[in-house]
Amino acid sequence: MGTNYIAPLHKDVERQSILYRNRYGMDIAADLYFRKDADLSRQHPALIVGAPYGGVKEQGPCVYGSELARRGFVVLTFDQSFMGQSGGWPRNLSSPDIFTENFSAAVVYLGLQPFVDREKIGVVGICGSGGFALSAAQSDTRIKAVATASMYDMSAAVRLGMDEDAIRQNKDRIRGIVITHGHEDHIGALPYVMRELDVPIYATSLTAGIIELKPEEFDLLYNTQIFTKKAGDRFRLGCFEVEMIHVNHSIADSVALAIRTRIGMGIHPGYFK
């Protein structure tokens, strides 16, 4: 399927374009690499290579795929959902839970191939994929090994806005935290942020309940005010007026935010379907 690969394919390696689905029913476009002289009547160890955050299989993964296949591995590279030739809408959306699931979907595909040893499937995560690969390995015991290469702490970059120093330097300007829905990738960062901040949290009823039901993880929240809001409510945070707007999502009680300022209004959509 892909044509614009950044590196040539090794002369001893064959590459096949494949298509399969993840558990959300999304098409995943992928490439399968193996040696041309490989004996496909016997089983081989396999590796899944994840692209950098926002990247596609025709970029860095094709280098790894060609070289690792030359060394005897069956290698699968893929486009994340919403990216490249894989399915998903809107395009270029970021969804950590789906990105993590896509590694497990690749494990399923490889495990169904008669020439792959199911007990020898590993993952290589390039840059941002390193975090998704590690998350997948935490819950998917079929992944036997993980190798990552990342220039900085991607988790800290996402949850803290590049690094912890940015939070510390600006914490006197932060008036509150507004949570749009209760998925783990939205509430999971709260313990880390609250180590640096003493501000109220605003959330809908279900989202607030999910936060409060995690006592062991959220010990830091016992002394934090959680204000319950609903779609249609407006409230002020410093110089901003925030309005919650009902949206449909895969979890109930989700909202988008209309944020009014002195110079205009901005819309934060959250995730919606």
Side-chain angles (χ1 to χ4, degrees):
M1 286 180 280
T3 56
N4 298 315
Y5 295 91
I6 67 168
L9 183 66
H10 193 278
K11 61 181 179 62
D12 296 330
V13 173
E14 181 173 341
R15 177 171 56 215
Q16 294 181 354
S17 295
I18 57 175
L19 191 71
Y20 54 91
R21 288 187 173 180
N22 63 15
R23 68 184 177 93
Y24 296 100
M26 296 176 174
D27 288 335
I28 302 297
D31 287 333
L32 198 64
Y33 294 78
F34 49 86
R35 285 187 63 92
K36 291 179 178 178
D37 60 1
D39 181 0
L40 299 185
S41 67
R42 54 179 290 267
Q43 293 184 331
H44 302 268
L47 293 171
I48 300 159
V49 179
Y53 196 68
V56 291
K57 62 187 181 301
E58 290 84 5
Q59 297 172 324
C62 80
V63 179
Y64 285 77
S66 181
E67 181 59 27
L68 291 170
R70 185 180 70 84
R71 300 182 181 217
F73 292 94
V74 174
V75 183
L76 186 150
T77 67
F78 66 96
D79 291 339
Q80 285 283 12
S81 298
F82 315 107
M83 309 289 177
Q85 295 169 316
S86 287
W89 188 263
R91 302 305 296 168
N92 303 315
L93 180 71
S94 176
S95 176
D97 52 341
I98 294 178
F99 288 179
T100 298
E101 148 62 21
N102 286 341
F103 280 95
S104 291
V107 173
V108 171
Y109 178 87
L110 287 173
L112 293 173
Q113 309 311 307
F115 49 84
V116 169
D117 187 340
R118 293 186 180 184
E119 297 302 315
K120 295 181 180 180
I121 296 176
V123 169
V124 177
I126 307 172
C127 198
S129 280
F132 305 131
L134 290 169
S135 295
Q138 283 184 309
S139 58
D140 194 335
T141 58
R142 298 169 299 176
I143 298 174
K144 304 303 182 184
V146 181
T148 68
S150 186
M151 294 179 65
Y152 60 95
D153 186 346
M154 190 67 181
S155 296
V158 171
R159 72 173 183 262
L160 299 178
M162 293 310 295
D163 57 39
E164 297 179 6
D165 288 339
I167 290 292
R168 296 190 185 102
Q169 292 169 5
N170 293 282
K171 64 182 181 181
D172 292 338
R173 303 172 62 189
I174 298 173
R175 298 292 180 262
I177 298 174
V178 184
I179 307 295
T180 59
H181 63 278
H183 277 158
E184 184 65 21
D185 57 319
H186 281 244
I187 67 173
L190 283 173
Y192 306 95
V193 174
M194 299 314 296
R195 290 171 186 166
E196 303 294 337
L197 298 177
D198 182 16
V199 296
I201 295 171
Y202 299 82
T204 58
S205 179
L206 176 62
T207 304
I210 294 173
I211 294 171
E212 293 169 350
L213 283 173
K214 306 184 76 173
E216 293 184 1
E217 183 177 355
F218 287 88
D219 284 342
L220 293 168
L221 299 183
Y222 282 139
N223 297 320
T224 300
Q225 288 182 301
I226 302 179
F227 292 101
T228 300
K229 300 292 182 179
K230 64 182 184 299
D233 284 352
R234 295 187 180 187
F235 53 96
R236 295 200 68 83
L237 286 178
C239 62
F240 300 121
E241 181 185 75
V242 180
E243 179 182 358
M244 289 188 166
I245 305 168
H246 172 74
V247 295
N248 291 323
H249 190 32
S250 56
I251 186 170
D253 219 7
S254 297
V255 293
L257 305 176
I259 305 170
R260 294 176 173 86
T261 75
R262 288 190 294 265
I263 61 173
M265 182 176 69
I267 299 293
H268 174 68
Y271 285 170
F272 64 92
K273 295 189 183 299

